Amino acid sequence: MRRTERILIFIWLLCVQPIAMMNHIVTAREDTCHLPRALIEEIDSYAPIVQRIINETMRGSFKGTTWRDLAEFVDKFGPRFTGTQVLEDSIDYVLNKSISLSLENVHGEVVTVPRWIR
């Protein structure tokens, strides 16, 4: 497996998979999606790549290891609520891991996120 495919699997596990898991709840995407048709088609065009990532994760050379990496990430950082140090530490972890995988142009973005304080 090429390095790029390994990187895609890492990103998929940390970022895309939770979103993909929620998609099964939406049964009539065309009725609920308000994105431009061209954007929907572009997103849909990635389906073969996503399927390759899923197959490699579930049945390929990463079988068991990607889930273990994800489990370690979740166990290490747990809930990552906005405004917490745990969230900041987990972001740093993902950025550093991405750099160690030789991704290009790895950087964080400053965003304003509302947070609730007790």
Side-chain angles (χ1 to χ4, degrees):
M1 173 174 293
R2 294 179 310 191
R3 183 177 197 85
T4 303
E5 291 170 333
R6 282 188 240 140
I7 293 167
L8 284 172
I9 289 170
F10 172 73
I11 292 170
W12 179 77
L13 283 173
L14 293 181
C15 305
V16 179
Q17 184 197 20
I19 295 167
M21 292 176 71
M22 290 301 295
N23 284 341
H24 78 278
I25 295 170
V26 179
T27 56
R29 190 184 81 197
E30 287 79 17
D31 295 337
T32 60
C33 184
H34 303 289
L35 295 174
R37 187 88 203 122
L39 184 55
I40 292 171
E41 290 171 2
E42 179 183 349
I43 293 168
D44 287 344
S45 74
Y46 294 109
I49 295 169
V50 171
Q51 192 57 53
R52 282 180 52 211
I53 292 169
I54 292 169
N55 289 340
E56 186 63 30
T57 302
M58 300 299 292
R59 295 182 274 284
S61 61
F62 284 95
K63 182 178 179 181
T65 62
T66 48
W67 296 116
R68 186 172 45 247
D69 290 345
L70 179 60
E72 288 174 12
F73 175 82
V74 172
D75 288 345
K76 181 174 184 169
F77 297 106
R80 296 169 300 282
F81 297 109
T82 58
T84 64
Q85 188 60 46
V86 174
L87 175 63
E88 295 302 317
D89 293 344
S90 69
I91 291 169
D92 292 340
Y93 172 85
V94 170
L95 291 173
N96 290 329
K97 182 73 170 178
S98 299
I99 291 168
S100 75
L101 293 170
S102 301
L103 288 173
E104 295 178 10
N105 195 22
V106 175
H107 63 279
E109 296 284 338
V110 177
V111 296
T112 303
V113 181
R115 70 181 246 211
W116 179 73
I117 301 173
R118 242 186 238 209

